[in-house]
Amino acid sequence: MGEWELEGLASSVSRPVLVGRLLELDAAGGVTSAHVRAGARLAGVHPRTVWRWVEAGRSEGRVERRRRARFELSEQAWEVLAQAGGTVSVLYQHLEECGNGDAGVSLASVYRAVQRELAAGRVLPDRAVVRRARAERETRQALADLAVAGVGTGTPSASAVAGPVELTPAAREAALVAEAPGVVLPVGAQVVRTSSVRAVAEAVGQAMAAAGAACVFGDAGRGKTVALRMALSDPPVGWGVSWVRVPVRPSVSELRRAVFEALVLPGRFPHRSAEADERIVGALDVARVLVVDEAQRLPVPCLEYLQSLWDHPQARMALVLCGAGSERAVGRVPQLASRVCAWQEVGRLAPGEVAATVSAFHPLWASVAGGEVAWIDQSCTHGVFRTWAALTTHLQNALLTVPDATADRALLRRLFRRLSPPA
């Protein structure tokens, strides 16, 4: 075979095939330089490279290229990248300065690692979001540290010595409601089981019994989230409850991550969407209520993703979609809308239940005559629970800060103007 013919075969033989044949020849009686030169020409490499391949095969039994350990971004590195606004060079400089296992990594390797994370669906959080999350973690830790010792002393507080305090059902409901994002209760307020709360509890119970879906809707401020929190404050035995925090106009990958975090799954969020879905469905193998508040933010692909989770044969879940306008969002996906077994609207407080509800809600209204409560509702609050809560806070502050203040109509009219934008 001429030299031109050998050059035409360059790169036509893979390394495993060539090294395997050379090792056979070596076992039969030895590999010569001619064998190596011919093999190098066939593989399109230098003869010294083929000799290294043969030596690796002799000593290690390895005929393929050694795979290098791929650099992966840690959660701390991803947070540093977010703080830097996505500037990879800043992250690279941080890794060089730390030198804790990541020293010696090239800038190109860091770039490739970031690109793999982004291609897998990971979203780089906003710097302000990262700062707020870190501040919240530091605040929670500081509060936990303060709870260990009594104020002004170096000894444990009485509550720490006595152990956890058993809350009454009403106090437990109030604590759960106060944890909800966007729900602000005045000091001294108590949650009240209104007719809307009972209706929401019934709708959610139907969805749990049928392992189906429920949609809780109504205008803003009517107490949808409060009603759901109360309805799910004490779920039946064997049922878990997970609340999904929905970003504004999320992508499917962002919603997938929100569901992953709501289920409190261990470990890092997987790079591949198929692996993430496998772990999510595995966690839904037990009876669970998946609550998606502010569901009106979800675009059609996200709603279809939730439907795919609920439709999975392995999942044992009840899906609850809640939010002002959530019924319109669900209606855009007829396949999902047809699966909703309970549509529940949360309306305004009925005029006949306003006085009893607000007096039970806060002791500030217990001494106010029913006629005055009706006048407040007609003039300002209009049966909207959130407006009543805001008015309660303003009235509390006025009575505490203004000398000789009384809850008369003059004071209330002045507070009414704080509760609505100017016309």
Side-chain angles (χ1 to χ4, degrees), residues 31-33 36 46-56 58:
V31 175
T32 65
S33 298
V36 171
H46 197 277
R48 284 196 297 268
T49 302
V50 178
W51 278 118
R52 287 196 298 270
W53 291 354
V54 173
E55 183 57 32
R58 288 170 178 168

Side-chain angles (χ1 to χ4, degrees), residues 157-421:
S157 63
S159 61
V161 174
V165 178
E166 287 293 332
L167 298 177
T168 63
R172 183 169 59 250
E173 285 182 352
L176 287 171
V177 169
E179 291 176 0
V183 176
V184 180
L185 296 179
V187 178
Q190 296 289 332
V191 291
V192 185
R193 288 192 171 272
T194 62
S195 58
S196 295
V197 171
R198 291 190 293 270
V200 169
E202 182 180 351
V204 173
Q206 291 174 351
M208 294 170 68
C215 181
V216 180
F217 60 97
D219 291 342
R222 294 187 179 181
K224 298 177 296 297
T225 301
V226 171
L228 264 180
R229 289 272 175 179
M230 293 177 67
L232 295 170
S233 61
D234 189 17
V237 177
W239 280 84
V241 180
S242 296
W243 289 76
V244 181
R245 301 188 67 174
V246 177
V248 177
R249 303 294 295 177
S251 63
V252 174
S253 60
E254 290 174 321
L255 178 62
R256 180 182 288 111
R257 190 180 190 92
V259 174
F260 186 91
E261 293 174 351
L263 295 172
V264 197
L265 297 178
R268 293 182 59 186
F269 180 70
H271 297 290
R272 297 186 298 110
S273 59
E275 182 181 351
D277 288 341
E278 182 180 356
R279 294 185 60 185
I280 289 172
V281 172
L284 295 174
D285 190 28
V286 297
R288 181 169 297 275
V289 182
L290 194 66
V291 184
V292 183
D293 204 359
E294 305 296 344
Q296 73 277 3
R297 297 176 178 175
L298 297 177
V300 169
C302 290
L303 292 168
E304 291 175 339
Y305 173 72
L306 291 175
Q307 179 189 334
S308 69
L309 290 181
W310 180 53
D311 284 342
H312 196 282
Q314 186 179 343
R316 298 174 54 204
M317 59 176 282
L319 178 63
V320 179
L321 302 168
C322 175
S326 58
E327 78 285 4
R328 295 189 294 273
V330 175
R332 292 195 293 268
V333 186
Q335 299 90 338
L336 178 59
S338 65
R339 289 166 167 81
V340 175
C341 65
W343 299 85
Q344 182 59 54
E345 181 178 8
V346 177
R348 302 173 185 269
L349 292 173
E353 63 178 343
V354 169
T357 299
V358 298
S359 60
F361 170 67
H362 199 280
L364 189 65
W365 304 109
S367 58
V368 178
E372 289 297 291
V373 171
W375 171 77
I376 294 171
D377 191 56
Q378 293 171 4
S379 304
C380 175
T381 55
H382 307 297
V384 179
F385 184 82
R386 185 176 295 167
T387 309
W388 271 108
L391 179 61
T392 303
T393 301
H394 286 304
L395 184 57
Q396 271 186 317
N397 293 337
L399 295 177
L400 289 173
T401 57
V402 178
D404 302 326
T406 57
D408 54 15
R409 291 197 174 189
L411 174 61
L412 289 169
R413 285 193 181 95
R414 182 164 60 85
L415 298 179
F416 290 169
R417 292 194 290 272
R418 297 181 182 176
L419 299 177
S420 59

